[in-house]
Coordinates of all heavy atoms in Angstrom, one line a residue:
M1 N 84.0 66.8 78.3 CA 83.4 66.3 79.5 C 84.6 66.2 80.6 O 85.7 66.1 80.2 CB 82.8 65.0 79.3 CG 81.7 65.0 78.3 SD 80.3 64.2 79.2 CE 79.2 64.0 77.9
I2 N 84.2 66.2 81.8 CA 85.1 66.1 82.9 C 84.8 64.9 83.7 O 83.7 64.6 84.0 CB 84.9 67.4 83.8 CG1 85.2 68.7 83.0 CG2 85.9 67.3 85.0 CD1 85.0 69.9 83.8
L3 N 85.9 64.2 84.1 CA 85.8 62.9 84.8 C 86.3 63.1 86.2 O 87.4 63.6 86.4 CB 86.5 61.8 84.0 CG 86.6 60.4 84.7 CD1 85.2 59.8 84.8 CD2 87.5 59.5 84.0
H4 N 85.6 62.6 87.2 CA 86.0 62.7 88.6 C 86.9 61.5 88.9 O 86.5 60.4 88.6 CB 84.8 62.7 89.5 CG 85.1 62.6 91.0 ND1 84.8 61.6 91.8 CD2 85.7 63.5 91.8 CE1 85.2 61.8 93.0 NE2 85.7 63.0 93.0
L5 N 88.1 61.7 89.4 CA 89.0 60.6 89.7 C 89.1 60.2 91.1 O 89.7 59.2 91.5 CB 90.5 61.1 89.3 CG 90.7 61.4 87.8 CD1 92.1 61.8 87.6 CD2 90.3 60.3 86.9
G6 N 88.4 61.0 92.0 CA 88.5 60.7 93.4 C 88.9 62.0 94.1 O 89.7 62.8 93.6
G7 N 88.5 62.2 95.4 CA 88.9 63.4 96.1 C 88.5 64.6 95.4 O 87.3 64.7 94.9
D8 N 89.4 65.5 95.3 CA 89.1 66.8 94.6 C 89.7 66.9 93.2 O 89.9 68.0 92.6 CB 89.6 68.0 95.4 CG 88.9 68.2 96.7 OD1 87.7 67.8 96.8 OD2 89.5 68.7 97.6
Y9 N 89.9 65.7 92.6 CA 90.6 65.7 91.3 C 89.6 65.3 90.1 O 88.9 64.4 90.2 CB 91.8 64.7 91.3 CG 92.9 65.2 92.1 CD1 93.0 64.9 93.4 CD2 93.9 65.9 91.5 CE1 94.0 65.4 94.2 CE2 95.0 66.4 92.2 CZ 95.0 66.1 93.6 OH 96.1 66.6 94.3
F10 N 89.7 66.2 89.1 CA 88.9 66.0 87.9 C 89.9 66.2 86.7 O 90.8 66.9 86.8 CB 87.8 67.1 87.8 CG 86.8 67.0 88.9 CD1 87.0 67.5 90.1 CD2 85.7 66.3 88.7 CE1 86.1 67.5 91.1 CE2 84.7 66.2 89.7 CZ 84.9 66.8 90.9
V11 N 89.6 65.5 85.6 CA 90.3 65.7 84.3 C 89.4 65.7 83.2 O 88.3 65.2 83.3 CB 91.4 64.5 84.1 CG1 92.5 64.6 85.1 CG2 90.8 63.2 83.9
K12 N 89.8 66.4 82.1 CA 89.0 66.5 80.9 C 89.1 65.1 80.2 O 90.3 64.6 80.1 CB 89.5 67.5 80.0 CG 89.2 68.9 80.5 CD 89.7 69.9 79.6 CE 89.5 71.4 80.1 NZ 90.0 72.4 79.2
T13 N 88.0 64.5 79.8 CA 88.1 63.2 79.2 C 88.9 63.2 77.9 O 89.5 62.2 77.6 CB 86.7 62.6 78.9 OG1 85.9 63.6 78.1 CG2 85.9 62.4 80.2
K14 N 88.9 64.3 77.2 CA 89.7 64.4 76.0 C 91.2 64.3 76.2 O 92.0 64.1 75.3 CB 89.3 65.5 75.1 CG 89.7 66.9 75.7 CD 89.2 68.0 74.9 CE 89.5 69.4 75.5 NZ 89.0 70.5 74.7
E15 N 91.6 64.6 77.4 CA 93.1 64.5 77.8 C 93.5 63.1 78.3 O 94.7 62.9 78.5 CB 93.4 65.5 78.9 CG 93.1 67.0 78.4 CD 93.3 68.0 79.5 OE1 93.3 67.6 80.7 OE2 93.6 69.2 79.1
I16 N 92.5 62.2 78.5 CA 92.9 60.8 79.0 C 93.5 60.0 77.8 O 92.9 59.8 76.8 CB 91.6 60.1 79.6 CG1 91.2 60.9 80.8 CG2 92.0 58.7 79.9 CD1 89.9 60.3 81.3
L17 N 94.7 59.5 78.1 CA 95.3 58.6 77.2 C 95.0 57.1 77.4 O 94.8 56.3 76.5 CB 96.8 58.8 77.2 CG 97.4 60.2 76.9 CD1 98.9 60.2 77.0 CD2 96.9 60.6 75.5
V18 N 95.0 56.7 78.7 CA 94.7 55.3 79.0 C 94.3 55.3 80.5 O 94.8 56.1 81.3 CB 96.0 54.5 78.8 CG1 97.1 54.8 79.6 CG2 95.7 53.0 78.9
I19 N 93.5 54.3 80.8 CA 93.1 53.9 82.2 C 93.6 52.5 82.4 O 93.2 51.6 81.7 CB 91.6 54.1 82.5 CG1 91.1 55.6 82.2 CG2 91.2 53.7 83.9 CD1 89.6 55.7 82.2
L20 N 94.4 52.3 83.4 CA 95.0 51.0 83.7 C 94.7 50.5 85.1 O 94.4 51.3 86.0 CB 96.6 51.1 83.7 CG 97.2 51.6 82.3 CD1 98.7 51.9 82.6 CD2 97.0 50.6 81.2
D21 N 94.6 49.2 85.2 CA 94.5 48.6 86.5 C 95.8 48.8 87.3 O 96.9 48.5 86.7 CB 94.2 47.1 86.4 CG 94.1 46.4 87.7 OD1 93.0 46.4 88.3 OD2 95.1 45.9 88.2
Y22 N 95.8 49.3 88.5 CA 97.0 49.6 89.2 C 97.9 48.4 89.5 O 99.1 48.4 89.2 CB 96.7 50.3 90.6 CG 97.9 50.5 91.4 CD1 98.6 51.7 91.1 CD2 98.2 49.7 92.4 CE1 99.8 51.9 91.9 CE2 99.3 50.0 93.2 CZ 100.1 51.0 93.0 OH 101.3 51.3 93.7
E23 N 97.3 47.3 89.9 CA 98.1 46.1 90.2 C 98.8 45.6 89.0 O 99.9 45.1 89.0 CB 97.2 45.1 90.9 CG 96.9 45.5 92.3 CD 96.1 44.4 93.1 OE1 96.1 43.2 92.6 OE2 95.5 44.7 94.1
E24 N 98.0 45.5 87.9 CA 98.6 45.0 86.6 C 99.7 45.9 86.1 O 100.7 45.4 85.7 CB 97.5 44.9 85.6 CG 96.4 43.8 85.8 CD 97.1 42.4 85.7 OE1 97.9 42.2 84.9 OE2 96.7 41.6 86.5
A25 N 99.5 47.2 86.2 CA 100.5 48.2 85.8 C 101.8 48.0 86.6 O 102.9 48.1 86.2 CB 100.0 49.6 85.9
A26 N 101.6 47.8 87.9 CA 102.8 47.7 88.9 C 103.5 46.4 88.6 O 104.7 46.3 88.7 CB 102.3 47.7 90.3
R27 N 102.9 45.3 88.2 CA 103.5 44.0 87.9 C 104.2 44.0 86.6 O 105.2 43.3 86.4 CB 102.5 42.9 87.9 CG 102.1 42.4 89.3 CD 101.4 41.1 89.2 NE 100.1 41.2 88.6 CZ 99.0 41.2 89.3 NH1 99.0 41.0 90.6 NH2 97.8 41.3 88.7
N28 N 103.8 44.8 85.6 CA 104.4 44.8 84.3 C 105.6 45.7 84.3 O 105.5 46.9 84.5 CB 103.3 45.2 83.2 CG 103.9 45.1 81.9 OD1 104.8 45.9 81.5 ND2 103.3 44.2 81.1
K29 N 106.7 45.1 83.9 CA 108.0 45.8 84.0 C 108.0 47.0 83.1 O 108.4 48.1 83.4 CB 109.2 44.9 83.6 CG 110.5 45.5 83.6 CD 111.6 44.5 83.3 CE 112.9 45.2 83.3 NZ 114.0 44.3 82.8
D30 N 107.6 46.8 81.8 CA 107.6 48.0 80.8 C 106.7 49.1 81.2 O 107.0 50.2 81.1 CB 107.3 47.4 79.4 CG 108.4 46.5 78.9 OD1 109.6 46.7 79.2 OD2 108.0 45.6 78.1
T31 N 105.5 48.7 81.7 CA 104.5 49.7 82.1 C 105.0 50.4 83.3 O 104.9 51.7 83.4 CB 103.2 49.0 82.4 OG1 102.7 48.3 81.3 CG2 102.1 50.1 82.7
S32 N 105.6 49.8 84.3 CA 106.2 50.4 85.5 C 107.3 51.4 85.1 O 107.3 52.5 85.7 CB 106.7 49.3 86.4 OG 105.7 48.6 87.0
L33 N 108.2 51.0 84.2 CA 109.2 51.9 83.8 C 108.6 53.2 83.1 O 109.1 54.3 83.3 CB 110.2 51.2 82.8 CG 111.1 50.2 83.4 CD1 111.9 49.5 82.4 CD2 112.1 50.9 84.4
F34 N 107.6 53.0 82.2 CA 106.9 54.1 81.6 C 106.4 55.0 82.6 O 106.6 56.3 82.6 CB 105.9 53.6 80.7 CG 105.0 54.7 80.1 CD1 105.4 55.6 79.2 CD2 103.7 54.8 80.6 CE1 104.6 56.6 78.7 CE2 102.8 55.8 80.1 CZ 103.3 56.7 79.2
L35 N 105.6 54.5 83.6 CA 105.0 55.3 84.6 C 105.9 56.0 85.5 O 105.6 57.1 86.0 CB 104.0 54.4 85.4 CG 102.8 53.9 84.7 CD1 102.0 52.9 85.5 CD2 101.9 55.0 84.1
K36 N 107.1 55.4 85.8 CA 108.1 56.1 86.6 C 108.6 57.4 86.0 O 109.0 58.3 86.8 CB 109.3 55.1 87.0 CG 108.9 54.1 88.0 CD 110.1 53.2 88.3 CE 109.6 52.1 89.3 NZ 110.7 51.2 89.6
G37 N 108.5 57.5 84.7 CA 109.0 58.7 84.0 C 108.0 59.8 84.0 O 108.3 60.9 83.5
L38 N 106.8 59.6 84.6 CA 105.7 60.6 84.5 C 105.6 61.3 85.8 O 105.9 60.7 86.9 CB 104.4 59.9 84.2 CG 104.3 59.2 82.9 CD1 102.9 58.6 82.7 CD2 104.7 60.0 81.7
E39 N 105.1 62.5 85.8 CA 104.7 63.3 87.0 C 103.5 62.5 87.5 O 102.5 62.3 86.8 CB 104.3 64.7 86.6 CG 103.8 65.5 87.7 CD 103.4 66.9 87.3 OE1 104.0 67.5 86.4 OE2 102.4 67.4 87.9
T40 N 103.5 62.1 88.8 CA 102.5 61.3 89.3 C 101.8 62.0 90.6 O 102.5 62.4 91.4 CB 103.0 59.9 89.7 OG1 103.6 59.3 88.5 CG2 101.9 59.0 90.3
T41 N 100.5 61.9 90.6 CA 99.7 62.4 91.7 C 99.0 61.2 92.3 O 98.2 60.6 91.6 CB 98.7 63.5 91.3 OG1 99.5 64.5 90.6 CG2 98.0 64.0 92.5
A42 N 99.3 60.9 93.6 CA 98.6 59.9 94.3 C 97.4 60.5 95.1 O 97.5 61.4 95.9 CB 99.5 59.1 95.2
L43 N 96.2 60.1 94.7 CA 95.0 60.5 95.4 C 94.8 59.8 96.7 O 95.3 58.6 96.8 CB 93.8 60.4 94.5 CG 94.0 60.9 93.0 CD1 92.7 60.7 92.3 CD2 94.4 62.4 93.1
S44 N 94.0 60.3 97.6 CA 93.9 59.6 98.9 C 93.1 58.3 98.7 O 92.2 58.1 97.8 CB 93.0 60.5 99.8 OG 91.8 60.7 99.3
G45 N 93.5 57.3 99.4 CA 92.9 55.9 99.4 C 93.9 55.0 98.7 O 94.8 55.4 98.0
E46 N 93.5 53.7 98.8 CA 94.3 52.7 98.1 C 94.2 52.8 96.6 O 93.1 52.8 96.1 CB 93.8 51.3 98.6 CG 94.7 50.1 98.2 CD 96.0 50.1 98.9 OE1 96.1 50.6 100.0 OE2 97.0 49.6 98.3
P47 N 95.3 52.9 95.9 CA 95.2 53.0 94.4 C 94.6 51.8 93.8 O 95.0 50.7 94.1 CB 96.6 53.3 93.9 CG 97.5 53.0 95.1 CD 96.7 52.9 96.3
R48 N 93.7 52.0 92.9 CA 93.0 50.9 92.1 C 93.2 51.1 90.6 O 93.1 50.1 89.9 CB 91.6 50.8 92.5 CG 91.4 50.4 94.0 CD 89.9 50.3 94.3 NE 89.3 49.1 93.6 CZ 88.0 48.9 93.6 NH1 87.2 49.7 94.1 NH2 87.6 47.9 92.9
A49 N 93.4 52.3 90.2 CA 93.5 52.6 88.8 C 94.7 53.6 88.6 O 95.0 54.4 89.5 CB 92.3 53.2 88.3
V50 N 95.3 53.6 87.4 CA 96.3 54.6 87.0 C 95.6 55.3 85.8 O 95.3 54.6 84.8 CB 97.6 54.0 86.6 CG1 98.6 55.1 86.1 CG2 98.2 53.2 87.7
V51 N 95.5 56.6 85.9 CA 94.9 57.3 84.7 C 96.0 58.2 84.1 O 96.6 59.0 84.9 CB 93.7 58.2 85.2 CG1 93.2 59.0 84.0 CG2 92.6 57.4 85.8
V52 N 96.4 58.0 82.9 CA 97.5 58.7 82.3 C 96.8 59.7 81.3 O 96.0 59.4 80.6 CB 98.4 57.8 81.4 CG1 99.5 58.5 80.8 CG2 99.0 56.7 82.3
T53 N 97.2 61.0 81.5 CA 96.7 62.0 80.7 C 97.8 62.8 80.0 O 98.9 62.7 80.4 CB 95.9 63.1 81.6 OG1 96.8 63.7 82.5 CG2 94.8 62.4 82.4
E54 N 97.4 63.6 79.1 CA 98.3 64.5 78.4 C 97.6 65.9 78.6 O 96.6 66.2 78.0 CB 98.6 64.2 77.0 CG 99.7 65.1 76.4 CD 100.3 64.6 75.2 OE1 99.8 63.6 74.6 OE2 101.2 65.3 74.6
E55 N 98.3 66.7 79.5 CA 97.7 68.0 79.7 C 98.7 69.1 79.3 O 99.8 69.1 79.8 CB 97.4 68.2 81.2 CG 96.4 67.1 81.7 CD 96.4 67.1 83.2 OE1 96.5 68.1 83.9 OE2 96.2 66.0 83.8
Y56 N 98.3 69.9 78.3 CA 99.2 70.9 77.8 C 100.6 70.4 77.4 O 101.6 71.0 77.6 CB 99.4 72.1 78.8 CG 98.1 72.6 79.3 CD1 97.6 72.3 80.6 CD2 97.3 73.4 78.5 CE1 96.4 72.8 81.0 CE2 96.1 73.9 78.9 CZ 95.6 73.6 80.2 OH 94.4 74.1 80.6
G57 N 100.6 69.3 76.7 CA 101.8 68.6 76.2 C 102.6 67.8 77.2 O 103.6 67.3 76.8
T58 N 102.1 67.7 78.4 CA 102.8 67.0 79.5 C 102.0 65.8 79.9 O 100.8 65.9 80.2 CB 103.1 67.9 80.7 OG1 103.8 69.0 80.3 CG2 103.9 67.1 81.8
K59 N 102.7 64.6 79.8 CA 102.0 63.4 80.3 C 102.0 63.4 81.8 O 103.1 63.6 82.4 CB 102.6 62.2 79.7 CG 102.3 62.1 78.2 CD 102.9 60.8 77.6 CE 102.6 60.6 76.2 NZ 103.2 61.6 75.3
K60 N 100.9 63.0 82.4 CA 100.8 62.9 83.9 C 100.1 61.6 84.3 O 99.3 61.1 83.5 CB 100.0 64.0 84.5 CG 100.7 65.4 84.3 CD 99.8 66.5 84.9 CE 100.4 67.8 84.7 NZ 99.7 68.9 85.3
A61 N 100.3 61.0 85.4 CA 99.7 59.8 85.9 C 99.0 60.2 87.2 O 99.6 60.9 88.1 CB 100.7 58.7 86.1
Y62 N 97.8 59.7 87.4 CA 97.0 59.9 88.6 C 96.7 58.5 89.1 O 96.2 57.6 88.4 CB 95.7 60.6 88.3 CG 95.9 62.0 87.9 CD1 96.0 62.3 86.5 CD2 95.9 63.1 88.8 CE1 96.1 63.6 86.1 CE2 96.1 64.4 88.4 CZ 96.2 64.7 87.0 OH 96.4 66.0 86.6
L63 N 97.0 58.2 90.4 CA 96.7 57.0 91.1 C 95.3 57.2 91.8 O 95.2 57.9 92.8 CB 97.8 56.6 92.1 CG 99.2 56.6 91.5 CD1 100.2 56.1 92.6 CD2 99.2 55.6 90.3
S64 N 94.3 56.5 91.3 CA 93.0 56.7 91.7 C 92.5 55.6 92.6 O 92.7 54.5 92.2 CB 92.0 56.9 90.5 OG 90.7 57.0 90.9
P65 N 91.7 55.9 93.6 CA 91.1 54.8 94.4 C 89.8 54.2 93.8 O 89.3 53.3 94.3 CB 90.7 55.6 95.7 CG 90.4 57.0 95.3 CD 91.4 57.3 94.1
I66 N 89.4 54.8 92.7 CA 88.2 54.3 91.9 C 88.7 53.2 90.9 O 89.7 53.4 90.3 CB 87.5 55.4 91.2 CG1 87.1 56.5 92.2 CG2 86.3 55.0 90.5 CD1 86.5 57.8 91.7
S67 N 87.9 52.2 90.8 CA 88.3 51.0 90.0 C 88.4 51.5 88.5 O 87.6 52.4 88.1 CB 87.3 49.9 90.1 OG 86.1 50.1 89.4
P68 N 89.2 50.8 87.7 CA 89.4 51.2 86.3 C 88.0 51.0 85.5 O 87.7 51.8 84.7 CB 90.4 50.3 85.7 CG 91.1 49.6 86.9 CD 90.2 49.8 88.1
R69 N 87.3 50.0 85.9 CA 86.0 49.7 85.2 C 85.1 50.8 85.5 O 84.4 51.3 84.5 CB 85.5 48.4 85.8 CG 84.2 48.0 85.1 CD 83.7 46.7 85.7 NE 82.9 46.0 84.7 CZ 82.7 44.7 84.6 NH1 83.3 44.0 85.5 NH2 81.9 44.3 83.6
T70 N 85.0 51.3 86.7 CA 84.1 52.4 87.0 C 84.5 53.7 86.3 O 83.6 54.4 85.7 CB 84.0 52.7 88.5 OG1 83.5 51.5 89.2 CG2 83.1 53.9 88.8
L71 N 85.8 54.0 86.3 CA 86.3 55.2 85.6 C 86.0 55.1 84.1 O 85.6 56.1 83.5 CB 87.8 55.3 85.8 CG 88.2 55.8 87.2 CD1 89.7 55.7 87.4 CD2 87.7 57.1 87.5
L72 N 86.2 53.9 83.5 CA 85.9 53.7 82.1 C 84.4 53.9 81.8 O 84.1 54.6 80.8 CB 86.4 52.3 81.6 CG 86.3 52.1 80.1 CD1 87.1 53.1 79.3 CD2 86.7 50.7 79.8
R73 N 83.6 53.4 82.6 CA 82.1 53.5 82.4 C 81.8 55.0 82.6 O 81.0 55.5 81.7 CB 81.4 52.7 83.5 CG 80.0 52.4 83.2 CD 79.3 51.5 84.2 NE 79.3 52.1 85.5 CZ 79.8 51.6 86.6 NH1 80.4 50.4 86.5 NH2 79.7 52.2 87.8
R74 N 82.3 55.7 83.5 CA 82.1 57.1 83.7 C 82.6 57.9 82.5 O 81.9 58.8 82.0 CB 82.7 57.7 84.9 CG 82.1 57.2 86.2 CD 82.8 57.7 87.4 NE 82.3 57.3 88.6 CZ 82.8 57.7 89.8 NH1 83.8 58.5 89.9 NH2 82.2 57.2 90.9
S75 N 83.7 57.6 82.0 CA 84.3 58.3 80.8 C 83.5 58.1 79.5 O 83.6 58.9 78.7 CB 85.8 57.9 80.6 OG 85.9 56.6 80.1
N76 N 82.8 57.0 79.4 CA 82.0 56.7 78.3 C 80.6 57.3 78.4 O 79.8 57.2 77.6 CB 81.9 55.2 78.1 CG 83.1 54.6 77.6 OD1 83.9 55.3 76.9 ND2 83.4 53.4 77.9
G77 N 80.4 58.1 79.6 CA 79.1 58.8 79.7 C 77.9 57.9 80.0 O 76.8 58.2 79.6
E78 N 78.1 56.9 80.7 CA 77.0 55.9 81.0 C 76.2 56.4 82.2 O 75.9 55.7 83.1 CB 77.5 54.5 81.2 CG 78.1 53.9 80.0 CD 78.6 52.5 80.1 OE1 78.2 51.9 81.1 OE2 79.3 52.0 79.3
G79 N 75.8 57.7 82.1 CA 74.8 58.2 83.1 C 75.3 58.4 84.5 O 74.5 58.5 85.4
D80 N 76.6 58.5 84.8 CA 77.1 58.7 86.1 C 77.1 60.1 86.5 O 77.4 61.0 85.7 CB 78.5 58.1 86.2 CG 78.9 57.9 87.6 OD1 79.1 58.9 88.4 OD2 79.0 56.7 88.0
A81 N 76.8 60.4 87.7 CA 76.7 61.8 88.2 C 78.1 62.5 88.2 O 78.1 63.7 88.3 CB 76.2 61.8 89.6
F82 N 79.2 61.8 88.1 CA 80.5 62.3 88.3 C 81.1 62.7 86.9 O 82.3 63.0 86.8 CB 81.4 61.5 89.1 CG 81.1 61.4 90.5 CD1 80.4 60.3 91.0 CD2 81.5 62.4 91.3 CE1 80.0 60.3 92.4 CE2 81.1 62.4 92.7 CZ 80.4 61.4 93.2
L83 N 80.4 62.6 85.9 CA 80.8 63.0 84.5 C 80.0 64.2 84.1 O 78.7 64.1 84.1 CB 80.6 61.8 83.5 CG 81.1 62.1 82.1 CD1 82.6 62.2 82.1 CD2 80.7 60.9 81.2
R84 N 80.6 65.3 83.9 CA 79.9 66.5 83.6 C 80.4 67.2 82.3 O 81.6 67.0 81.9 CB 80.1 67.5 84.7 CG 79.4 67.0 86.0 CD 79.6 68.0 87.1 NE 80.5 67.2 88.0 CZ 80.8 67.6 89.2 NH1 80.4 68.8 89.6 NH2 81.5 66.9 90.0
Q85 N 79.6 68.0 81.7 CA 80.0 68.8 80.6 C 81.1 69.7 81.0 O 80.9 70.4 82.1 CB 78.8 69.5 80.0 CG 77.8 68.6 79.2 CD 78.4 68.1 77.9 OE1 79.4 68.5 77.4 NE2 77.7 67.1 77.4
D86 N 82.1 69.9 80.2 CA 83.1 70.9 80.5 C 82.6 72.3 79.9 O 82.4 72.3 78.6 CB 84.4 70.5 79.8 CG 85.5 71.5 80.1 OD1 85.3 72.5 80.8 OD2 86.6 71.3 79.6
P87 N 82.4 73.3 80.7 CA 81.8 74.6 80.1 C 82.8 75.2 79.2 O 82.4 76.1 78.4 CB 81.6 75.4 81.4 CG 82.5 74.8 82.4 CD 82.6 73.4 82.1
Q88 N 84.1 74.9 79.2 CA 85.1 75.5 78.3 C 85.5 74.6 77.1 O 86.4 75.0 76.4 CB 86.3 75.9 79.1 CG 86.0 76.9 80.2 CD 87.1 77.2 81.1 OE1 88.1 76.5 81.0 NE2 87.0 78.3 81.8
G89 N 84.8 73.5 76.9 CA 85.0 72.7 75.8 C 86.0 71.7 76.1 O 86.7 71.0 75.7

């Protein structure tokens, strides 16, 4: 399945490692250090969530304007229009 992160960004749900609250991640020293070492893409809008993925062996972080709760609900396939089947698996 594919998850919409905001704007024109989508990721495969099987590549998602963790979805974090942006403010909590920024406050936590260890989490902040971990995230600083990742390739990061900031999507338009005020960041509310950090989505960490592993794509082709590389960990990436996306700063999403969508709340972590909404992203998690969408990633679990709870009937949201922004979660779609990936035609390539």
Side-chain angles (χ1 to χ4, degrees):
M1 299 231 188
I2 298 173
L3 178 65
H4 177 247
L5 300 180
D8 293 332
Y9 288 87
F10 296 84
V11 295
K12 292 180 181 180
T13 55
K14 66 183 178 182
E15 295 176 342
I16 297 173
L17 300 177
V18 65
I19 298 173
L20 304 169
D21 178 87
Y22 175 78
E23 289 184 15
E24 290 293 323
R27 278 195 293 255
N28 185 291
K29 182 181 176 182
D30 293 329
T31 304
S32 291
L33 287 173
F34 169 73
L35 293 173
K36 285 182 183 181
L38 302 180
E39 177 184 326
T40 302
T41 301
L43 310 182
S44 63
E46 188 71 28
R48 296 181 67 194
V50 180
V51 180
V52 179
T53 65
E54 186 166 3
E55 303 168 32
Y56 306 106
T58 303
K59 290 183 179 67
K60 297 181 180 182
Y62 295 90
L63 305 182
S64 173
I66 300 171
S67 78
R69 182 180 207 156
T70 298
L71 290 172
L72 184 60
R73 196 174 66 239
R74 289 178 181 179
S75 71
N76 288 329
E78 293 184 16
D80 198 290
F82 290 99
L83 183 66
R84 295 176 247 190
Q85 289 287 350
D86 180 4
Q88 298 176 344

